[in-house]
Amino acid sequence: MTLHVVASLDGFIARKDNSVSWLDAPGSVYEAGVSVSEEEIAAFVKAIDCYVLGSRTYEHALELGWPYGDTPTVVLTNRELSSTKKSVEFYSGDLTTLVREKLAPRYRDIWLVGGAIASQRFLSLGLVDEIKLTVAPVLLGDGLRLFGDSEAETRWTLKSVAAYRNGFVELSYAATK
Ligand SMILES: NC(=O)c1ccc[n+]([C@@H]2O[C@H](COP(=O)([O-])OP(=O)(O)OC[C@H]3O[C@@H](n4cnc5c(N)ncnc54)[C@H](OP(=O)(O)O)[C@@H]3O)[C@@H](O)[C@H]2O)c1
């Protein structure tokens, strides 16, 4: 399972009021960075077989405009949420069972896309194989922390770094075996 999140330079994934408008704010240009076309993004996203997200990220995504298309999406919740999309399935319970027994046999490229609570749970259970952390060129000062406290120190191996023209940097790490 791949964890993908975008964080500010000071390690926040959303402002306190949940807003993520800072992600789209026009910024400086890094001339040596790569630019990615809409077609390239579409081809990349098409390769994702399944998304997993916490209920708060789900509710926020519905408000902002659903970014996950028709790709199968599992939303973690202990509440009875109304289903607005055919591609969405709700899940409550053991996360190891979800990943190992339900998702892994069906999907190859599984993306955990937040938020902080959901990410922390999967990380602490050792269910994340890869972290793709995109760092945005902004200090927010306050907000929702990328990762919470954890009892365990875990090591990660840097696999690739990509710097984009918009000043965002994507760091890809694999879990060190
Ligand atoms: N910058 C980024 O890349 C990025 C990415 C994702 C999200 N975000 C932002 O982060 C915020 C949301 O993050 P968050 O940390 O507050 O919440 P979250 O992780 O999206 O959702 C937390 C909720 O997930 C459910 N959950 C977690 N583990 C569960 C389990 N084992 N079984 C059943 N349900 C489980 C619970 O839902 P119930 O309370 O319904 O039971 C829990 O309250 C939003 O503002 C969003 O826009 C930013």
Side-chain angles (χ1 to χ4, degrees):
M1 172 182 256
T2 299
L3 166 59
H4 180 259
V5 275
V6 187
S8 65
L9 271 173
D10 46 354
F12 297 108
I13 65 166
R15 289 190 191 277
K16 275 219 163 127
D17 65 358
N18 273 329
S19 90
V20 286
S21 54
W22 49 276
L23 287 173
D24 303 319
S28 51
V29 172
Y30 175 52
E31 293 294 348
V34 287
S35 39
V36 190
S37 69
E38 295 284 324
E39 291 78 25
E40 284 169 311
I41 294 172
F44 184 80
V45 165
K46 218 175 151 205
I48 298 169
D49 298 313
C50 171
Y51 290 102
V52 177
L53 42 147
S55 67
R56 294 192 202 165
T57 297
Y58 166 71
E59 288 170 316
H60 202 205
L62 286 176
E63 270 171 41
L64 293 178
W66 189 247
Y68 310 113
D70 296 328
T71 304
T73 300
V74 175
V75 175
L76 307 175
T77 185
N78 293 307
R79 292 176 288 157
E80 291 289 323
L81 293 175
S82 58
S83 183
T84 51
K85 309 219 168 270
K86 270 197 186 142
S87 55
V88 170
E89 209 180 304
F90 297 108
Y91 182 87
S92 158
D94 187 67
L95 298 181
T96 305
T97 307
L98 170 69
V99 175
R100 302 250 160 89
E101 293 174 26
K102 221 168 132 63
L103 301 181
R106 279 160 76 194
Y107 304 116
R108 210 171 54 90
D109 213 355
I110 304 164
W111 274 43
L112 168 62
V113 289
I117 295 172
S119 302
Q120 188 71 39
R121 300 225 166 124
F122 283 102
L123 281 167
S124 64
L125 291 165
L127 294 169
V128 175
D129 308 304
E130 188 183 14
I131 296 176
K132 279 187 183 295
L133 172 63
T134 301
V135 180
V138 57
L139 289 170
L140 290 178
D142 200 2
L144 181 63
R145 283 227 164 269
L146 167 61
F147 301 129
D149 292 341
S150 157
E151 279 158 28
E153 174 179 318
T154 54
R155 295 268 152 186
W156 295 79
T157 304
L158 183 65
K159 289 291 178 182
S160 67
V161 177
Y164 296 100
R165 262 183 79 81
N166 62 0
F168 284 56
V169 178
E170 187 183 81
L171 306 161
S172 299
Y173 298 91
T176 305
K177 303 275 183 230

